[in-house]
Amino acid sequence: EIDLSGISLPTHAALFSESLGRILASVSHSKKQEFETHFGDASQYIGKVGGNGLHITQNGKTIVNAPISSLETAYKKPLEGF
């Protein structure tokens, strides 16, 4: 479950752009507050992991809503035989 509303980039850039100053960190819920305190305004909470689907929104609009199994098939199918 990801909400890109707090990111001031177009959707495609928020999802796919890379830069030296941007990383994605997965932090356990028990360490969330400590992480946010340590990094302050340099961090942006965008969502949580878990479940069997991927749901991405931006400013109230659904960008992606798909089961993980479908995403896995789409990722692996072109690589079959290699």
Side-chain angles (χ1 to χ4, degrees), residues 2 11 54-66:
I2 299 169
T11 303
L54 176 63
H55 185 84
I56 301 175
T57 61
Q58 187 175 36
N59 301 318
K61 179 182 176 189
T62 297
I63 308 301
V64 176
N65 190 23

Side-chain angles (χ1 to χ4, degrees), residues 24 26 29 81:
L24 180 64
S26 179
H29 182 72

Side-chain angles (χ1 to χ4, degrees), residues 9-58:
L9 293 171
T11 303
H12 70 282
L15 288 171
F16 301 111
S17 69
E18 298 178 6
S19 73
L20 296 176
R22 194 172 329 146
I23 63 169
L24 180 64
S26 179
V27 179
S28 75
H29 182 72
S30 65
K31 296 286 188 175
K32 180 180 179 286
Q33 185 63 48
E34 181 181 348
F35 183 88
E36 289 174 340
T37 299
H38 180 78
F39 288 99
D41 290 340
S43 68
Q44 172 73 45
Y45 176 80
I46 62 169
K48 61 183 179 177
V49 297
N52 59 4
L54 176 63
H55 185 84
I56 301 175
T57 61
Q58 187 175 36

